[in-house]
Amino acid sequence: MTEKEKMLAGEVYDATDPELLCELAETRERIHDYNALRPSETEKMRAILKGLLGGIGDDGIIINQPFRCDYGKQICVGKRFFANFNFTVLDEARVTIGDDCFIGPNVSIYTACHSTDPVERNTRQEWARPVTIGNNVWIGGSVTILPGVTIGDNVSIGAGSVVVHDIPSNTVAVGNPCKVIKTL
């Protein structure tokens, strides 16, 4: 398997692989172009997003600038998606976001995993776990979602939360670590 195939399969891979580094550089160029557009250039923004992301539910999506991601192709968003300023997605694994989701400012979604052992970590070997977010989800400002997390449908995540475990559907969850405080 190539290092990219290992990455997409959730296996340990070499993050310094030349193919991966090339893809990261290409994505950064596209992200730079996106973030350099005037806010009124919505058609150009949509065209870049369509070419960058792995799937878009419709043209009704809005991702305010600045936006950051690693590869883009592993990110799929549903219909009527909105992300506010400073949305960051480290998409070494698939990130799936459902319909009618609203993302507050400064939200980060991480799929990349690294060893806690410093010697292992310094080898640049890593792995990735997918993140799934259901339909009708609101994620408050400055939320961090960690690798492997699934957030169900009809969920609200309070501002500043760090989501380290799955959050079931029809709930409100807050905190660090994020915990369910209310069932709808």
Side-chain angles (χ1 to χ4, degrees):
M1 293 177 83
T2 67
E3 296 305 307
K4 181 177 180 178
E5 289 169 338
K6 290 178 190 177
M7 179 183 81
L8 296 175
E11 297 180 14
V12 173
Y13 67 94
D14 179 1
T16 65
D17 177 69
E19 176 189 8
L20 294 175
L21 294 176
C22 182
E23 284 190 42
L24 286 167
E26 289 172 4
T27 302
R28 286 192 177 104
E29 290 292 328
R30 295 169 90 180
I31 289 292
H32 176 272
D33 292 345
Y34 181 83
N35 289 328
L37 290 171
R38 298 184 64 76
S40 60
E41 297 179 287
T42 55
E43 291 307 315
K44 289 181 182 178
M45 287 180 172
R46 286 187 184 122
I48 290 174
L49 289 175
K50 281 184 178 181
L52 179 67
L53 302 183
I56 295 177
D58 65 13
D59 286 337
I61 76 161
I62 297 170
I63 300 178
N64 283 338
Q65 303 147 304
F67 167 55
R68 303 272 188 265
C69 67
D70 277 340
Y71 295 94
K73 290 296 181 191
Q74 282 79 251
I75 303 169
C76 293
V77 300
K79 297 175 184 172
R80 297 170 300 278
F81 174 77
F82 173 81
N84 216 321
F85 308 107
N86 296 313
F87 183 42
T88 300
V89 183
L90 304 186
D91 61 312
E92 281 67 20
R94 190 160 203 55
V95 174
T96 306
I97 303 173
D99 296 339
D100 297 301
C101 289
F102 298 92
I103 309 289
N106 303 310
V107 168
S108 297
I109 299 174
Y110 305 142
T111 67
C113 303
H114 307 276
S115 176
T116 56
D117 178 273
V119 174
E120 285 180 18
R121 187 172 52 247
N122 288 338
T123 68
R124 305 303 191 258
Q125 299 290 305
E126 58 186 62
W127 64 98
R129 298 289 179 257
V131 169
T132 303
I133 299 171
N135 297 312
N136 304 307
V137 173
W138 174 71
I139 298 174
S142 299
V143 167
T144 301
I145 301 171
L146 296 184
V149 165
T150 296
I151 297 173
D153 295 333
N154 309 311
V155 171
S156 294
I157 304 290
S161 296
V162 178
V163 186
V164 299
H165 299 291
D166 293 353
I167 303 294
S169 294
N170 305 306
T171 59
V172 176
V174 300
N176 181 5
C178 190
K179 295 179 182 174
V180 173
I181 62 165
K182 181 178 179 181
T183 300
L184 305 175

